[in-house]
Amino acid sequence: MEHRSGSPAHGPGVVPDVGGCPGGPVDGGAEAGGPGVSGSDPDARWLALLMHAAFFLLLGASLTRFLMRHPGEARTPWIIALSIALAVLYLLGPVLGSRPTPRRLTWLGVLVLVWMVLVVLAPSFAWCAVPLFYTGLRILPPRAALALVALLTVFVVAAQLRLADGFDPNLVLAPPAVAAVATAVFVHMQRQAVRQRELAARQRELIDDLLRTRRELAATERREGTLAERQRLSMEIHDTLAQGLSSQQMLLQAADRTWSADPDAARRHVRTATGIAERNLAEARRFVHDLAPADLAEGGGLEAALHALAARESAQAEGALTVHCHVEGTPHAPLPDRVQSALLRIAQGALANVREHAGATAAGLTLTHLGDRVVLDIGDNGRGFTVEPEGMRGARTVRGHGLPAMRARVRQLGGTLTIESAPGEGTVLSAEVPLTTVPLTTTSEDPP
């Protein structure tokens, strides 16, 4: 039997002396640096090296002590051979992987069995128990791991008592207490590692969701921008180029009909169509660059532009339609550019509808300043029509885009558009725009 040397406090069951290197063979991956530590972490690699060094230092110290205390004994070759076998088995751990496969479990069983034989032959080898604690805790299920820790602790207590001169309660109670603390620390670290991995996974999912949402939002914004630009261009084309082309067509057709009978009148029609074409060209250039309508760009504001529009429509109709313009009230401040542009475009579209569809002989533009809002009324004495109820709008099919464009312009400014009409009684269209910031809303008074 080996003789005890030193105080029992320095025996193999005292984890603070040897437990700073938690675990036996390091298996790479999550186990490379202890529980829950990635093998790619530099600190984990250093910890792995320390664990290896601690195991081999304990094994070497135990073998050296035995050789010093018991030179030339018959069991010495067996002790040396088993020590070498234990070292080789320990080095095989990383080769077998980190998962609890049958081969891995067999390796652990053989490793523990060799150690137990060594402890029976030489109790000082109980020093190597602590790395085996952590090896079992990493590989085995919780209950099996706890059973292995209990078995190793029993061998440590027995070895301590064999090395002691007599019975010492500290040698019986200290190793189980230290083993319990070491196991609790390991389990806590393992659970913390699991929580960290779950948190990292959730963070990655949140980041992926955020990136995906940002991409979807960017795509939606691009689509909305494209649709808004298409709507703007469609309204501009309808209120300017389309109406101008329609007027040119009627004038050129009139010129063609009167070319032989009244050449002077035909030339007037052609000159008028040429003027409309020039104005349309100016309008096209301006709305392509998102500028104000040509009438507003000439100066004088909305009132002057409406008067010019009324005079131009009357001249182009050559007596078939007379358009008057009237302004009521005085604005407290100049109207915003976007309000002026929208009301002018609405007036252009409404007069185009009067010219093409109403069969009217007179029309009027009335601009009313009411302090906190401005109202534009366009009325005619044409044939009128039946205003459809709100619920019938979706079922109606229309050829033109005039009224939808007007509603869109007024809605963008937070205003309302109303129509009053009846068959044979003419039509009055009213666009009311607030001059203070209001939410964009639609009203039940919007025309179909």
Side-chain angles (χ1 to χ4, degrees), residues 61-73:
S62 299
L63 179 60
T64 301
R65 182 181 185 278
F66 176 82
L67 294 176
M68 291 176 60
R69 299 283 179 171
H70 310 280
E73 290 190 4

Side-chain angles (χ1 to χ4, degrees), residues 231 390 393 403-404 406-418 432 434 438-448:
Q231 184 182 36
E390 177 77 16
R393 294 177 186 171
L403 291 180
M406 296 178 200
R407 287 197 297 268
R409 291 184 187 279
V410 173
R411 194 159 46 241
Q412 289 172 358
L413 298 174
T416 58
L417 183 71
T418 59
E432 180 177 332
V438 296
L440 301 182
T441 58
T442 57
T443 69
S444 60
E445 296 181 347
D446 286 349

Side-chain angles (χ1 to χ4, degrees), residues 65-153:
R65 182 181 185 278
F66 176 82
L67 294 176
M68 291 176 60
R69 299 283 179 171
H70 310 280
E73 290 190 4
R75 56 179 173 165
T76 298
W78 289 100
I79 297 297
I80 296 174
L82 289 172
S83 299
I84 295 174
L86 185 63
V88 172
L89 285 171
Y90 184 87
L91 290 174
L92 286 177
V95 178
L96 300 177
S98 59
R99 297 183 179 278
T101 60
R103 186 173 58 177
R104 176 77 160 164
L105 298 177
T106 301
W107 164 83
L108 178 61
V110 175
L111 182 70
V112 172
L113 181 61
V114 172
W115 173 82
M116 292 170 65
V117 174
L118 270 174
V119 172
V120 171
L121 295 177
S124 61
F125 281 90
W127 286 82
C128 300
V130 174
L132 297 181
F133 285 169
Y134 286 96
T135 302
L137 289 171
R138 277 201 305 271
I139 296 175
L140 298 175
R143 292 184 179 179
L146 292 178
L148 177 62
V149 170
L151 177 63
L152 297 179
T153 304

Side-chain angles (χ1 to χ4, degrees), residues 293 296 300-303 334-345:
L296 292 176
L302 178 61
E303 298 174 3
L335 296 177
D337 291 342
R338 64 192 188 109
V339 173
Q340 296 188 55
S341 298
L343 291 179
L344 179 58
R345 294 303 191 202

Side-chain angles (χ1 to χ4, degrees), residues 257-281:
R257 289 193 301 268
T258 60
W259 193 266
S260 299
D262 191 353
D264 292 337
R267 291 188 181 92
R268 286 197 305 273
H269 292 324
V270 172
R271 285 194 295 270
T272 303
T274 302
I276 295 175
E278 292 176 355
R279 182 165 294 277
N280 274 5
L281 179 60

